[in-house]
Amino acid sequence: MESKMIKGRDILVVGLQPWDIAIGSNCKNVAKELSQFNRVLYVNRALDRITVIRSKDDPKIKTRLKSLRKEADDITNIAPNFWTLDPRTMLESVNWIPLAGVFDFVNKINNKRLAKEINQALKRLGFKNVLLFNDNEFYRGQYLIELLPEVTDCIYYSRDNIATHPFFVRHGKRLEPSLMAKASMVVTNSDYLEDYGRKYNPETYNILQGCDFERFFPETPFTLPEEMKGIKGPIIGYMGALIVSRLDIKILEHIATSRPEWSIVLVGPEDSTFRKSNLHKMPNVYFLGNTTEVRVPQFIQFFDVCLNPQLVNGMTIGNYPRKLDEYMVLEKPVVVTETLAMKLFDGYIYQCKTKEDYVVSIEKALAEDPDSEIRKARKAFALTHTWDTSLSKMSAHYQALKKNK
């Protein structure tokens, strides 16, 4: 069946994650999918002064510095019709500025510096009539619509309520609505975020979550990862970044202490709070570190039960973690924290209100028949959430908007 995606356009992608980020990224998946039918320029995050000082040894920072010093190309062709840009500019670190007026003044300077680099790149690549796809970048992307003459339309993508994150909360609650209102259209991955976006832009639509399932069905069966050898079952696993603003450490501690015979396996990078947590002192908790995207299904395949012990806050209440589809496509039982966004998964996953509920639900999950119909139903449901389906929804709304105008 022919894809209904946007075709034949020059598309500029800006977002919070660079192309070379170590973990999976919706923004990267969207850009890659769009590049099948369009020319795409993906803008990596420009350097700012504090980041350079704090993370000068990070390989990604070293790469950006090489571009800044003109020791490497700023534009890289990584696939047919697909380029990345390392902007040759240094931005001011502005988030600490408390006064809105002062922040906006300096932030506009940052936007102008970034826009200058992007405009030059668009000219060199011959991009015209550009569609700007903005993934949650309401700071550095606040004025790009006005500062990029070739941009004729902007789709703003809200997949997390990022404005409530502690880092962004000071200015995000006014800047994100401002950018939503300026955008041609807003798309989200949950009903909660759709309702939020529609307050500021009537052209707001939930296109649900996409997922790249190709790597979940290899030609040869998955083998047990070396990192998991010697870990006894049952294995209760979590795959993804271990970040205290998103995950409830108390839930994990309660599961580990309540059922010492279970092995709690956590795969993903840790923030400083997780690294200092009591979980590291528990004998049945295993931190396996970060892994590559291609190995994600290899680990999940050997989980007996999959977790998403989400902390409920403004950022997560409407969040649709794509890991749920990654869990379910491998027919795994899934235990999560109940939130508004999780209503979509009613009947497919176990939802918990308390840490005690987690233990009860995991026990139910472990008792499931491996050949039960619910496991097949989970897989079938997950397979409806492809990037082609998600972006075809976006494209249909965009084409309708253009037709009506």
Side-chain angles (χ1 to χ4, degrees):
M1 185 167 58
E2 184 181 2
S3 175
K4 299 178 181 178
M5 209 176 304
I6 295 167
K7 296 180 181 179
R9 293 293 303 270
D10 288 339
I11 299 177
L12 174 69
V13 178
V14 299
L16 297 175
Q17 284 96 22
W19 182 254
D20 50 3
I21 191 172
I23 60 176
S25 162
N26 275 22
C27 192
K28 288 176 59 175
N29 288 127
V30 169
K32 184 178 179 182
E33 198 75 20
L34 289 172
S35 72
Q36 294 183 51
F37 306 100
N38 307 273
R39 297 201 303 166
V40 174
L41 176 61
Y42 190 104
V43 181
N44 286 324
R45 282 181 66 77
L47 294 171
D48 64 88
R49 298 189 191 281
I50 288 181
T51 300
V52 170
I53 293 171
R54 292 177 177 172
S55 307
K56 61 181 182 298
D57 294 326
D58 186 316
K60 293 188 293 295
I61 303 303
K62 290 181 178 180
T63 298
R64 309 291 179 266
L65 285 170
K66 284 184 178 180
S67 174
L68 183 64
R69 296 165 182 156
K70 298 186 178 181
E71 297 170 359
D73 291 338
D74 56 338
I75 297 177
T76 303
N77 184 204
I78 59 172
N81 297 324
F82 199 141
W83 296 264
T84 61
L85 172 67
D86 288 325
R88 286 174 171 164
T89 188
M90 180 71 72
L91 305 185
E92 306 303 327
S93 304
V94 297
N95 193 57
W96 63 272
I97 300 175
L99 298 177
V102 178
F103 174 92
D104 290 345
F105 177 80
V106 181
N107 189 46
K108 193 162 189 176
I109 292 173
N110 280 345
N111 274 238
K112 287 179 177 179
R113 291 176 184 173
L114 181 58
K116 179 181 177 181
E117 296 300 310
I118 294 174
N119 278 324
Q120 290 176 354
L122 294 177
K123 184 176 181 179
R124 286 156 61 192
L125 292 172
F127 273 39
K128 302 288 184 182
N129 186 29
V130 173
L131 171 59
L132 171 61
F133 182 88
N134 184 323
D135 173 32
N136 275 134
E137 182 55 282
F138 46 78
Y139 274 17
R140 300 176 177 191
Q142 181 65 215
Y143 306 102
L144 291 184
I145 297 172
E146 301 94 324
L147 295 172
L148 302 174
E150 289 297 340
V151 168
T152 55
D153 295 292
C154 173
I155 297 176
Y156 182 79
Y157 185 37
S158 174
R159 57 182 173 79
D160 270 324
N161 198 5
I162 294 290
T164 64
H165 187 279
F167 180 83
F168 293 109
V169 71
R170 180 181 287 143
H171 301 290
K173 287 187 176 181
R174 63 185 180 85
L175 291 184
E176 185 173 42
S178 171
L179 187 49
M180 284 179 165
K182 289 192 288 185
S184 310
M185 185 174 81
V186 176
V187 292
T188 76
N189 65 356
S190 74
D191 289 339
Y192 179 89
L193 292 173
E194 181 183 41
D195 291 341
Y196 167 65
R198 196 156 284 167
K199 294 176 183 178
Y200 311 106
N201 189 323
E203 301 291 344
T204 298
Y205 305 98
N206 177 15
I207 61 171
L208 295 177
Q209 178 66 42
C211 194
D212 178 8
F213 293 116
E214 184 177 354
R215 66 191 189 282
F216 285 78
F217 303 106
E219 294 181 1
T220 56
F222 292 114
T223 57
L224 182 68
E226 285 292 327
E227 297 92 330
M228 291 181 67
K229 289 182 177 178
I231 300 177
K232 67 176 184 177
I235 292 175
I236 317 303
Y238 170 82
M239 171 63 67
L242 297 157
I243 303 173
V244 72
S245 61
R246 291 183 178 274
L247 300 183
D248 193 332
I249 287 179
K250 291 181 180 179
I251 290 174
L252 293 169
E253 289 177 342
H254 180 75
I255 296 170
T257 55
S258 299
R259 295 293 183 273
E261 68 275 19
W262 295 347
S263 293
I264 316 302
V265 173
L266 309 173
V267 184
E270 302 174 69
D271 67 9
S272 59
T273 303
F274 263 89
R275 287 194 295 269
K276 297 173 185 175
S277 71
N278 288 330
L279 290 167
H280 281 274
K281 301 175 183 177
M282 297 180 178
N284 60 330
V285 178
Y286 301 85
F287 288 85
L288 302 190
N290 201 7
T291 190
T292 59
E293 264 195 285
V294 72
R295 296 189 69 205
V296 165
Q298 182 185 8
F299 284 91
I300 295 174
Q301 180 64 58
F302 294 94
F303 292 168
D304 295 299
V305 176
C306 298
L307 298 180
N308 191 43
Q310 207 161 249
L311 188 70
V312 181
N313 54 35
M315 186 172 63
T316 62
I317 194 169
N319 183 40
Y320 180 151
R322 68 175 180 173
K323 64 172 58 66
L324 301 192
D325 287 321
E326 294 174 339
Y327 291 160
M328 291 192 299
V329 80
L330 292 176
E331 302 187 15
K332 298 297 179 178
V334 182
V335 183
V336 307
T337 301
E338 181 181 310
T339 67
L340 293 174
M342 291 301 99
K343 291 185 180 297
L344 176 69
F345 298 92
D346 283 350
Y348 296 101
I349 62 178
Y350 299 90
Q351 302 189 37
C352 307
K353 293 182 178 180
T354 67
K355 61 182 184 293
E356 291 80 13
D357 289 345
Y358 264 86
V359 175
V360 174
S361 294
I362 292 170
E363 288 178 334
K364 291 179 181 178
L366 288 171
E368 279 186 5
D369 182 347
D371 298 317
S372 61
E373 288 302 314
I374 184 59
R375 296 205 172 198
K376 295 180 177 62
R378 286 188 189 116
K379 179 179 180 178
F381 182 64
L383 286 172
T384 65
H385 301 150
T386 65
W387 281 117
D388 184 73
T389 300
S390 176
L391 295 181
S392 291
K393 290 178 186 287
M394 180 184 81
S395 299
H397 290 302
Y398 176 70
Q399 289 158 0
L401 175 67
K402 297 291 285 184
K403 183 178 180 180
N404 292 336
K405 285 190 175 182

